[in-house]
Amino acid sequence: MADNLPSEFDVIVIGTGLPESIIAAACSRSGQRVLHVDSRSYYGGNWASFSFSGLLSWLKEHQENSDIVNECPAWQEKIHENEEAIALSRTDKTIQHVEVFCYACQDLHEDVEEAGALQKNHASVTSVNCTEAADSACLPVEDESLRTTSCEIPAEQTPSSDPERALEVNDVQVTGEKENCCDDNTCVPSTAAKETSENVPVAEDTAEQPKKNRITYSQIIKEGRRFNIDLVSKLLYSRGLLIDLLIKSNVSRYAEFKNITRILAFREGRVKQVPCSRADVFNSKQLTMVEKRMLMKFLTFCMEYEEHPDEYKAYEEITFSEYLKTQKLTPSLQYFVLHSMAMTSETGSSTIDGLKATKNFLHSLGRYGNTPFLFPLYGQGELPQCFCRCKAIIDQYGQRIISKHFLVEDSYLSENTCAHVQYRQISRAILITDRSVLKTDSDQQISILTVPAEEPGTFAVRVIELCSSTMTCMKGSYLVHLTCTSSKTAREDLEPVVQKLFTPYTETEIENEEIEKPRLLWGLYFNMRDSSDVNRNTYNDLPSNVYVCSGPDCALGNDNAVKQAEALFQQICPNEDFCPPPPNPEDIILDGDSLQPEASESSALPEASSETPKESSNLRNPEEPSK
């Protein structure tokens, strides 16, 4: 198929992370000829999501990863005398310090395999050693519909979906209504949704009460396609840049979202729910009436703080934590605002940064639910794929192709190119547990929790807990993501928080139903490179038409990826609209259409115009009830 590719493109994008995918989609929508390629066997790079066995395959790949020198001179023969080659790295060195632990009962048999898998999984985990755990249960990535090398065409040549259908899907997906809907009545394109009810774990059988919460490793393997495990853990602010871009570009029709149901806080050794909406504040039993009035008065000020500079100008040089102490707030209220709304630490932000973060939190409240956050069904890895779905897929290489602009993901750059770059690191932990950190009547809670740093030089840890209705884990289990800026290895940074919130699974505790903490079934620790603050000038010998996209940052939202994508797009396509919506199919004029009678054209216009206001209204004002 490579022989059939054009020999020249306007833009070549290397990597399928979120910034690269947004830029590729934006350039394509602007009429540029775009070639989008990736050497990996999956979409997303470090933004990817994997099934359980797919994650184990990814772990094994990184365990066996080593520098491979390309002795084949085929590509060198395509370099002309007046040209200089820039070598790209064939080894991904963005992941380090990988450690895997399995605590669940390892009652594996030879016939245990993942439901729906194409080949048998001969899994056998005998220790918590990282290499053994990664080698023991390894399958190829199951989603065979995904390929990562693609050729994009301008939006005008891309068939658009039916606007009425797209509106209906978007209305169901984004509004987050019917929070209690289960996996079976959620319509999605992924193969995970096609699994039959016989794949549901035995834990749902109420006939055996003592074993209700007992989840074994073989069950995790068998239900592995129920898992969609993100390498990077983020949420979407409902009024954030990414949600606005998804709506503006109409890419939102490719995704579905769930509203985060709870904001939690960890104080005095216990997990508590934080009231954040007006209704939550006045219904809260944790706060006195005086505290409720204090909190509402301060939050009202935060929404309008820019209009009252006299109230905070004198405190600009101190931290937000110190500023809160001057605002007639009790210690509990200061803690809630600092860690659960501004989501910062005692020394992590200035007064202005704290007020801005609190306003951003409050501004997103109520748009799609009682919390400011949304989570994409099937994981964060769905978002890069959403922007990649207007492409023709290819899987060959070896052709000399010329382009005006090249965009490269940072992980592809060689060690020589990055010799002077100083990277930060992100500490990550991924856990599978048997119940929520804060038990309630509903087992379908999606929660975010910030655990403050306790020692100087360390950072607050963000915990995101996902239930099975997010389509990221099997029923009866929870998928928990922990993230912080690295000060040591991921395990050293995050294990103290894991020990506070969870207890390792042991056979002797199965019969004890009074265990306070959730049981930890499986865990993974790793460090991920954070290249979000790297200046382009620190890379060695990059030509002016080569642009670098960073990997994920440590922030909760995706604003950095969107800002980076828009900035690079404006350098390539100045004065062009960033990621505009696709054209209405009824507005596209093909050859010969001009010969049609004018009456037939005008008769179609009223119908199209009558639908447009409805679509715009529902997309921009999802909090209004649909009509």
Side-chain angles (χ1 to χ4, degrees), residues 61-110:
E61 177 183 327
H62 279 274
Q63 287 290 320
E64 298 175 349
N65 218 350
S66 60
D67 283 317
I68 303 173
V69 179
N70 189 357
E71 301 294 345
C72 179
W75 67 271
Q76 299 177 7
E77 296 174 355
K78 299 181 183 296
I79 304 298
H80 295 172
E81 293 183 2
N82 60 340
E83 296 176 337
E84 181 180 354
I86 299 177
L88 298 180
S89 174
R90 301 186 63 190
T91 303
D92 186 352
K93 296 185 176 180
T94 61
I95 305 297
Q96 298 177 330
H97 308 300
V98 180
E99 298 183 71
V100 180
F101 299 89
C102 182
Y103 302 97
C105 177
Q106 300 170 18
D107 58 342
L108 294 174
H109 305 285
E110 290 187 1

Side-chain angles (χ1 to χ4, degrees), residues 178-249:
K178 300 183 180 179
E179 286 292 317
N180 295 325
C181 65
C182 63
D183 303 354
D184 298 329
N185 56 21
T186 304
C187 181
V188 290
S190 173
T191 55
K194 299 180 181 178
E195 297 184 18
T196 59
S197 59
E198 59 208 29
N199 294 333
V200 177
V202 182
E204 293 211 344
D205 186 2
T206 56
E208 299 184 19
Q209 288 296 334
K211 296 184 179 181
K212 181 177 180 180
N213 291 327
R214 183 183 180 186
I215 299 176
T216 63
Y217 189 70
S218 62
Q219 282 182 301
I220 296 176
I221 292 293
K222 183 178 179 181
E223 300 290 334
R225 291 172 71 87
R226 297 275 189 186
F227 289 88
N228 285 283
I229 303 172
D230 296 326
L231 295 184
V232 59
S233 177
K234 290 180 176 291
L235 299 177
L236 286 76
Y237 280 91
S238 62
R239 296 189 188 274
L241 296 180
L242 185 54
I243 287 292
D244 291 343
L245 182 64
L246 287 167
I247 294 174
K248 171 190 173 184
S249 62

Side-chain angles (χ1 to χ4, degrees), residues 14-59:
I14 303 174
T16 53
L18 184 58
E20 303 90 74
S21 300
I22 293 175
I23 294 171
C27 291
S28 178
R29 288 276 176 89
S30 297
Q32 303 292 309
R33 295 168 296 172
V34 181
L35 178 65
H36 197 180
V37 298
D38 198 336
S39 65
R40 301 179 181 91
S41 59
Y42 53 87
Y43 278 123
N46 284 348
W47 301 80
S49 299
F50 296 102
S51 67
F52 187 74
S53 59
L55 181 66
L56 295 179
S57 296
W58 176 82
L59 289 172

Side-chain angles (χ1 to χ4, degrees), residues 113-129:
E113 63 181 62
E114 185 178 73
L118 297 180
Q119 54 181 308
K120 183 173 293 186
N121 179 11
H122 301 286
S124 177
V125 178
T126 57
S127 75
V128 297
N129 180 271

Side-chain angles (χ1 to χ4, degrees), residues 74 99 142-143 173 182 211 225 279 311 439 447 465 621:
E99 298 183 71
E142 296 80 13
D143 193 349
Q173 292 165 347
C182 63
K211 296 184 179 181
R225 291 172 71 87
E311 297 288 334
K439 198 170 182 179
S447 311
E465 183 184 68
N621 299 290

